[in-house]
Amino acid sequence: MPLIEIQDVTKVYRMGDNVLNALDGVSLSIEEGELVAIMGASGSGKSTLMNLIGCLDRPTSGKYLLAGKDVGKMGVNEQAEARNRLIGFVFQNFNLLARTSAQENVELPLVYQGIGGRDRKRRAISALTRVGLGERLDHTPAQLSGGQQQRVAIARAIVGEPKLILADEPTGALDSKTTVEVMRLLQDLGKTGITVVIVTHEPEVGAYANRLIVVRDGKIIEDKHQEPVAA
Amino acid sequence: MNPLVTVRLAIIALLRNKMRSFLTMLGVIIGVGAVIAVVAIGEGAKAQVASSFAAMGTDLLIVMPGSTSSGGAAGGFGTGPTLTWDDLKAMQTELSSVKSAAPSLRSNAQILGEEQNWSTGVTGTTPDYFVVRNWGIDKGIAFGQSDVDSSSKVVVLGATVSTKLFGESGDPVGQIVRIKSVPFEVIGVAAKKGQSPMGQDYDDTVFIPSSTYQRFIGKGLQKYLNGTIFVAANSTAEVPKAQQEIVALLRDRHHLAPNEDDDFSVRSLAEVADAQAQSTNTLTTLLTAIAAVSLLVGGIGIMNIMLVSVTERTREIGVRMAIGAKPRHILAQFLAEAVAISMVGGLLGVGIGTIAAQRIALQFKWPTLIRPDVTLIAVAFSALVGIGFGLYPARKASKLDPIQALRFE
């Protein structure tokens, strides 16, 4: 069973008289352990697709199964639970809580899982160690470089042991050297069996993926497997 | 999510913005502080009134001529003399619940001493008066029955009059004073009684035998007692019984038909005390209501700041939702912050209100009573304000669309 199964999904936005087909009959299936890059220009529908995969949105029509469950039939709370347990998010601008230590930032998904303080702390430290920040637990985002902040964000994404990491332009705010570091981390995660989906408009970033999906005008125009560039 | 964690997160969030949190709290601090102070002072004033009535004597009844109402029209007290000296004698001898009774004939007069003069109230009465009013003698002696029988020209000065005429340290006993040009010998000075609950000085008076009063001060009328009668019941508990007995006795003696109104009135000090306590209560309630309004204003301040906070932290809310916060988690978080602000404000308000009440009490020499129940209610109410005014912003936060919230700049 594929982790992500999208069948003929459309997403329509209505703004007054204007009708925008952000997604126009998309079908897609992603297996566990794949490292997929979704590429497209702005306005192509890739953000809509990402929101859909991330259970932040619901399709207008069609079906989306995440780990076998129909996301379209989930309520607000079930979607939140799915995001909490199955998905880890990595954002372009990191989106860490300001004036909050790295460790507390990483603990946050576990707080919403209802995991107790001691367990939370242990797992947060282990996740931060895994991304190479075991020495900076008490640093707040302001005390960390961009690359380090993104690694904290990745630690936050993996701490809940999700099946899917969803990264939205994860290197958009990073220089080329730290971009390589972050991509290496994501590639390593892929090797441990976690599915990674990266949304980007940069071909250099897409080159790191095993599979490349190109979106334009709400449709998938290209979907190919490739030999990834080693980071 | 663990409620303790929620509270801890709320407090951390508030500490991140100390100045703003404090200013937001200020409304609640002032509101709760004002409620605490006003109630404490009100309770103190009530206790003060109660204790001054106790000093006057809770076993005391006052019989006045004239009725409170006749034929639908209210006639004031003492509209005409209806009480007789025989009524007084009957009360003293025939009623089981009455300990003693004494007349009080009063008018104002100028009193001349050697050096000073003073305008005061002259009370014509009998020796029983000092028993009925539980009024001691400081210097010298009170007049006795023989002085009343012989209409002696002797006077007992009230403490204020003594001070006005002879100074703080002077000894008036044995001196001569003139009342309406009649020379009286000062035989005693009454103990200081203080102020009535209405602020009237009890000690600004002099006492002379009732017979002397009738001869020299308030002339005329031998049958009627042209004043009021003070009656002491055997005990405070027997006051209602004494009141009934007096009414029955006087109605009988005045030959009033069952359908006729009383031509006298009997009031117990307990009734007066009740009325006084009532008016203090009304005032306290009014002031508390005003203080509560400022608490309401404090609540609106909390709502305002929470709305600002929700807008400012839209992206944070989006992030929290993306990583798995359910709407109720967001709701709980912002609600906890609002309640934390109002509760901390409430507790500070209790502290400040208590200190203020004590300061004010000290200034006016009032007793203050801090009522624990009121304190508890004030804190609970401030928590309620937090919930009430925090709910709207918190709901607004919890209903945000995570996609929009994440995109918010």
Side-chain angles (χ1 to χ4, degrees):
Chain A
M1 182 184 68
L3 179 67
I4 293 168
E5 177 82 63
I6 294 172
Q7 297 164 355
D8 198 23
V9 154
T10 63
K11 182 73 194 179
V12 180
Y13 291 111
R14 287 170 202 282
M15 280 170 271
D17 293 338
N18 293 332
V19 176
L20 176 70
N21 290 302
L23 289 179
D24 191 4
V26 171
S27 292
L28 175 66
S29 144
I30 297 174
E31 300 293 328
E32 279 189 35
E34 281 195 88
L35 175 52
V36 183
I38 297 176
M39 294 193 58
S42 65
S44 62
K46 67 179 196 301
S47 291
T48 308
L49 185 58
M50 187 208 70
N51 290 337
L52 192 78
I53 293 171
C55 296
L56 291 162
D57 209 345
R58 249 173 292 207
T60 309
S61 71
K63 214 174 198 186
Y64 167 35
L65 302 175
L66 175 65
K69 282 183 207 121
D70 191 341
V71 176
K73 288 186 178 144
M74 287 182 181
V76 176
N77 285 325
E78 286 168 290
Q79 282 195 336
E81 200 132 323
R83 291 196 295 270
N84 190 210
R85 308 249 169 200
L86 299 176
I87 305 171
F89 284 89
V90 177
F91 302 97
Q92 175 175 2
N93 35 31
F94 326 134
N95 274 338
L96 299 173
L97 299 193
R99 284 173 279 188
T100 306
S101 73
Q103 187 197 315
E104 281 178 303
N105 262 298
V106 174
E107 280 184 27
L108 213 51
L110 304 180
V111 169
Y112 292 119
Q113 280 185 22
I115 288 170
R118 198 178 304 162
D119 221 17
R120 242 176 18 226
K121 189 176 170 189
R122 185 180 54 73
R123 284 173 66 176
I125 291 170
S126 134
L128 278 165
T129 309
R130 204 163 146 196
V131 299
L133 289 174
E135 309 296 312
R136 296 179 193 270
L137 304 175
D138 296 330
H139 287 50
T140 62
Q143 295 165 323
L144 296 169
S145 72
Q148 288 169 330
Q149 286 186 60
Q150 195 58 304
R151 280 192 280 163
V152 173
I154 291 170
R156 183 179 65 187
I158 62 174
V159 75
E161 290 165 9
K163 289 191 180 305
L164 171 67
I165 298 285
L166 202 50
D168 181 12
E169 305 276 8
T171 59
L174 301 177
D175 60 31
S176 53
K177 183 168 160 280
T178 42
T179 295
V180 175
E181 285 172 19
V182 166
M183 289 317 296
R184 187 184 298 135
L185 252 172
L186 292 175
Q187 279 190 333
D188 288 348
L189 288 175
K191 281 169 195 151
T192 63
I194 297 178
T195 310
V196 180
V197 174
I198 300 166
V199 176
T200 182
H201 67 278
E202 290 174 77
E204 302 83 45
V205 173
Y208 292 106
N210 307 67
R211 183 177 168 191
L212 197 65
I213 296 170
V214 182
V215 182
R216 187 189 287 166
D217 297 333
K219 291 189 174 76
I220 292 175
I221 56 164
E222 195 181 344
D223 184 352
K224 64 172 188 193
H225 289 264
Q226 63 181 18
E227 192 53 42
V229 176
Chain B
M1 196 160 69
N2 191 330
L4 272 177
V5 176
T6 312
V7 171
R8 199 174 68 90
L9 289 179
I11 289 167
I12 290 170
L14 295 181
L15 288 178
R16 266 185 219 143
N17 232 325
K18 288 188 193 74
M19 191 62 183
R20 180 200 281 186
S21 301
F22 174 72
L23 288 174
T24 311
M25 265 175 215
L26 210 53
V28 179
I29 293 174
I30 291 170
V32 170
V35 170
I36 297 286
V38 165
V39 172
I41 290 165
E43 288 295 314
K46 224 157 75 180
Q48 167 87 331
V49 167
S51 78
S52 69
F53 273 106
M56 273 170 72
T58 47
D59 56 351
L60 200 60
L61 292 141
I62 304 170
V63 184
M64 282 168 276
S67 64
T68 44
S69 71
S70 63
F77 297 123
T79 41
T82 57
L83 300 171
T84 66
W85 291 99
D86 290 338
D87 288 342
L88 172 62
K89 212 162 281 165
M91 277 185 226
Q92 284 166 333
T93 53
E94 291 174 27
L95 300 181
S96 63
S97 58
V98 168
K99 187 164 74 182
S100 54
S104 170
L105 316 172
R106 279 188 71 107
S107 60
N108 285 318
Q110 195 78 10
I111 302 189
L112 305 174
E114 284 295 326
E115 310 282 338
Q116 304 286 337
N117 65 75
W118 183 246
S119 176
T120 187
V122 179
T123 306
T125 186
T126 58
D128 282 339
Y129 187 86
F130 299 99
V131 179
V132 172
R133 301 289 315 264
N134 192 22
W135 207 324
I137 299 294
D138 222 21
K139 294 176 190 147
I141 52 164
F143 48 80
Q145 191 57 41
S146 60
D147 294 312
V148 177
D149 292 342
S150 60
S151 303
S152 310
K153 287 182 273 184
V154 292
V155 64
V156 174
L157 302 181
T160 302
V161 178
S162 169
T163 308
K164 292 291 177 190
L165 292 183
F166 298 98
E168 291 281 357
S169 53
D171 184 7
V173 177
Q175 307 259 24
I176 301 294
V177 296
R178 286 171 180 273
I179 306 169
K180 287 203 170 175
S181 347
V182 180
F184 281 78
E185 184 191 353
V186 178
I187 58 167
V189 177
K192 201 169 171 61
K193 191 83 166 168
Q195 284 193 346
S196 80
M198 293 81 178
Q200 176 201 347
D201 183 3
Y202 283 133
D203 301 307
D204 190 4
T205 188
V206 299
F207 306 97
I208 60 173
S210 52
S211 52
T212 317
Y213 181 94
Q214 282 182 298
R215 180 170 299 174
F216 298 106
I217 310 295
K219 289 158 189 155
L221 294 174
Q222 291 304 305
K223 179 187 170 193
Y224 286 103
L225 189 158
N226 196 10
T228 56
I229 299 173
F230 282 85
V231 181
N234 284 330
S235 68
T236 306
E238 280 196 60
V239 165
K241 191 181 165 210
Q243 191 162 6
Q244 284 170 5
E245 285 185 352
I246 292 166
V247 170
L249 176 86
L250 292 179
R251 286 188 69 87
D252 183 47
R253 290 183 55 83
H254 295 183
H255 308 295
L256 295 173
N259 59 349
E260 276 183 281
D261 285 329
D262 295 344
D263 59 357
F264 57 89
S265 62
V266 184
R267 299 188 70 191
S268 71
L269 269 187
E271 278 171 29
V272 182
D274 277 350
Q276 187 72 16
Q278 206 99 58
S279 72
T280 312
N281 268 348
T282 310
L283 195 68
T284 306
T285 309
L286 188 75
L287 288 172
T288 309
I290 293 169
V293 168
S294 72
L295 199 54
L296 205 70
V297 174
I300 294 167
I302 290 178
M303 173 138 79
N304 189 15
I305 285 300
M306 290 310 294
L307 283 172
V308 170
S309 177
V310 167
T311 307
E312 271 183 358
R313 288 153 70 190
T314 298
R315 189 194 276 271
E316 177 193 326
I317 295 164
V319 173
R320 284 176 183 274
M321 284 177 160
I323 63 177
K326 293 175 184 169
R328 65 180 159 85
H329 291 138
I330 303 294
L331 184 85
Q333 182 190 343
F334 281 90
L335 210 52
E337 283 180 28
V339 173
I341 286 183
S342 63
M343 282 275 273
V344 172
L347 289 172
L348 288 175
V350 165
I352 286 170
T354 306
I355 292 168
Q358 278 164 354
R359 280 284 163 85
I360 292 167
L362 215 66
Q363 196 75 32
F364 291 95
K365 299 200 167 58
W366 285 346
T368 41
L369 291 175
I370 302 295
R371 275 176 43 183
D373 55 335
V374 171
T375 308
L376 219 68
I377 289 169
V379 175
F381 191 68
S382 64
L384 222 63
V385 164
I387 294 171
F389 288 97
L391 201 59
Y392 172 67
R395 277 184 67 87
K396 201 178 159 194
S398 74
K399 287 203 182 317
L400 283 175
D401 172 18
I403 298 169
Q404 303 289 337
L406 277 170
R407 221 178 273 155
F408 186 83
E409 293 297 333

